[in-house]
Amino acid sequence: MSSASHLDVLRRIRAPDEKPRPRPGERCELCTEPIAEAHGHLVDLQQRALMCACRGCYLLFTADGAGGTRFRAVPDRYLAFTDLRLSPGEWDALQVPVSVAFFFVNSSLDRIAAFYPGPAGATESLLPLETWNELVAAHAELGTLEPDVEAILVRSDRTTNHAECFLVPIDACYELVGRLRQLWRGFDGGSDARDALDAFFDHVRTRAR
Ligand SMILES: [Zn+2]
Ligand SMILES: [Zn+2]
């Protein structure tokens, strides 16, 4: 595709945004129906954006929904992979310089995206899908991850060589990244960021039970 036609595509995708958008969290971003504070989310696979959705729109885009392929409903399951142990070598292959990261499969790019928190919000690194496929071959439970809408959340403790590993909805990860961005101080995040991480993992552990 030439760069000119790339621009055309972008323009077409963006056109619907020119009408006034409801504030996320207040109204469904697809049909503008008012929604409760607790609501589901859709991933827009073209724009790679998270959208707040009413129940009806959410159901349209679940795995057996009739809504087509542009949007995908974010499932609400939390799973704890308590027996999963990433070896130091596997952790290194994921190229994450800090102790917390989440990973998801980006189906449009055929890549595994790794996000980890830092002073500038989330840093993203794209890894070849082979790295992920090798991990799935060694740890079959990782294969249950749904592309684009679920993430593997990992917190490693280098001193004990133990990594806690969960499958979580991708919107929970974005929420965590947003919270950490506000709290992060210095290189390692400081005590406020650590407290927020501890609280988040407590919440995930409870949900996964
Ligand atoms: Zn709706
Ligand atoms: Zn929302």
Side-chain angles (χ1 to χ4, degrees):
M1 207 190 285
S2 75
S3 61
S5 59
H6 264 308
L7 275 179
D8 288 344
V9 170
L10 273 179
R11 232 171 262 134
R12 242 178 291 135
I13 292 169
R14 292 212 173 123
D17 280 1
E18 281 154 23
K19 68 179 186 302
R21 274 166 77 96
R23 274 220 335 263
E26 283 187 322
R27 288 177 177 276
C28 174
E29 291 182 77
L30 275 190
C31 72
T32 72
E33 199 58 28
I35 47 178
E37 205 186 318
H39 54 262
H41 290 114
L42 303 173
V43 171
D44 178 340
L45 295 185
Q46 275 173 25
Q47 304 227 44
R48 289 280 141 196
L50 206 58
M51 301 170 75
C52 301
C54 72
R55 194 71 194 149
C57 289
Y58 178 87
L59 290 175
L60 264 183
F61 297 101
T62 52
D64 16 272
T69 53
R70 172 163 174 185
F71 303 101
R72 193 77 54 76
V74 179
D76 61 359
R77 65 174 177 164
Y78 286 74
L79 302 174
F81 296 141
T82 41
D83 296 331
L84 195 144
R85 298 275 181 279
L86 289 184
S87 69
E90 288 172 331
W91 185 250
D92 288 343
L94 292 170
Q95 297 174 30
V96 174
V98 292
S99 62
V100 182
F102 65 89
F103 305 93
F104 69 91
V105 175
N106 182 323
S107 66
S108 336
L109 297 178
D110 250 358
R111 306 273 274 187
I112 173 85
F115 280 88
Y116 46 88
T123 303
E124 179 181 7
S125 66
L126 287 171
L127 305 165
L129 208 55
E130 297 89 77
T131 306
W132 179 251
N133 291 340
E134 280 162 24
L135 274 179
V136 173
H139 310 281
E141 60 268 58
L142 292 177
T144 57
L145 179 74
E146 259 197 67
D148 305 304
V149 289
E150 291 183 323
I152 297 293
L153 177 72
V154 183
R155 188 180 197 183
S156 84
D157 187 336
R158 282 275 173 152
T159 51
T160 61
N161 239 342
H162 174 70
E164 263 191 304
C165 195
F166 300 92
L167 183 152
V168 300
I170 201 153
D171 50 0
C173 293
Y174 280 102
E175 202 188 302
L176 172 68
V177 166
R179 203 174 312 152
L180 289 176
R181 183 182 311 160
Q182 292 166 352
L183 300 172
W184 203 267
R185 299 287 177 269
F187 178 72
D188 69 344
S191 61
D192 286 353
R194 262 197 313 276
D195 290 350
L197 268 176
D198 287 342
F200 183 77
F201 274 85
D202 285 345
H203 165 76
V204 168
R205 250 177 252 118
T206 310
R207 286 291 305 262
R209 238 169 247 147

